[in-house]
Amino acid sequence: MNASSLFVHLRNSRRVSLLLFAVTLGTLVVAAIWFVNARSALANAYQNLGSRNQVLSEAQVREQEAKLRVDQATSARELMAAAQQHGLSPQFWGERLINLRQSQMTREEAQPLLDTVLRSNDRIFGADAFELSVTHPEEGLFDVPVSTDRKPAPVSLTLRGSLLFQTSNGLAGPITNQVPAP
């Protein structure tokens, strides 16, 4: 039997034609259901991929932050070792907080106070705020008034910060005020 006679036979047989149509339609329905499920699975896969990529990028950011913390800790250790080699160990230093807000005083009273915050081998001052100003418009900050008819106006001093002072040099107990030789 050749192919043309098969088609003729199918055309003539209604029952075989309906059966062939039902099988084809069933196959098409099964293929459509499979396609919809596959498409849904593909959408889910893309959604999972997107969430995994987001988790990955967040993990990479946390890794970078951790590396920076490790680098900072390493730098801090190196800085502490260098500070200890130069005699800047915390156990040999004390701290005093200074907080003066717009205190008015004479120039003679301000001078010793400013001398205490000058940097030296045994003192370091970290200023958070510093302001020195005159209270009289005719006087200069760096020029002492020469007028003898009135008393000089006070200066206004704002000074806030930490004064670190050396309590011992780590060798023989408390240090004395040693002035380095020129």
Side-chain angles (χ1 to χ4, degrees), residues 8-181:
V8 170
H9 184 276
L10 283 176
R11 216 170 19 152
N12 292 337
S13 170
R14 184 174 176 97
R15 181 178 248 185
V16 175
S17 296
L18 284 176
L19 182 63
L20 184 61
F21 176 74
V23 168
T24 307
L25 183 62
T27 306
L28 185 60
V29 168
V30 169
I33 291 172
W34 175 84
F35 177 75
V36 169
N37 287 338
R39 192 169 152 196
S40 176
L42 180 64
N44 287 339
Y46 276 127
Q47 183 179 8
N48 286 339
L49 177 65
S51 65
R52 304 294 172 157
N53 283 340
Q54 183 178 1
V55 168
L56 176 64
S57 66
E58 290 172 0
Q60 288 171 338
V61 166
R62 284 193 301 273
E63 179 187 21
Q64 288 289 55
E65 290 172 351
K67 284 180 181 179
L68 286 174
R69 284 191 203 113
V70 167
D71 291 344
Q72 288 174 342
T74 303
S75 296
R77 275 191 229 108
E78 291 171 357
L79 186 61
M80 288 298 292
Q84 287 180 352
Q85 286 177 350
H86 290 92
L88 297 175
S89 291
Q91 66 264 24
F92 303 130
W93 287 79
E95 179 180 18
R96 177 166 291 146
L97 300 176
I98 298 176
N99 189 10
L100 297 172
R101 293 189 181 193
Q102 295 185 347
S103 301
Q104 292 194 3
M105 57 186 71
T106 65
R107 292 172 189 261
E108 292 78 23
E109 292 170 337
Q111 183 62 41
L113 184 59
L114 292 174
D115 286 343
T116 62
V117 297
L118 285 177
R119 186 178 189 144
S120 67
N121 288 340
D122 61 346
R123 280 191 316 253
I124 301 171
F125 180 69
D128 294 330
F130 176 77
E131 181 182 334
L132 180 64
S133 60
V134 294
T135 58
H136 193 274
E138 295 177 4
E139 293 183 5
L141 185 60
F142 301 105
D143 301 321
V144 179
V146 290
S147 131
T148 57
D149 57 338
R150 70 171 178 80
K151 184 176 164 186
V155 294
S156 175
L157 177 64
T158 297
L159 185 63
R160 187 175 68 240
S162 299
L163 177 66
L164 301 174
F165 54 94
Q166 195 169 15
T167 56
S168 70
N169 60 9
L171 301 175
I175 62 165
T176 59
N177 279 342
Q178 302 170 354
V179 177

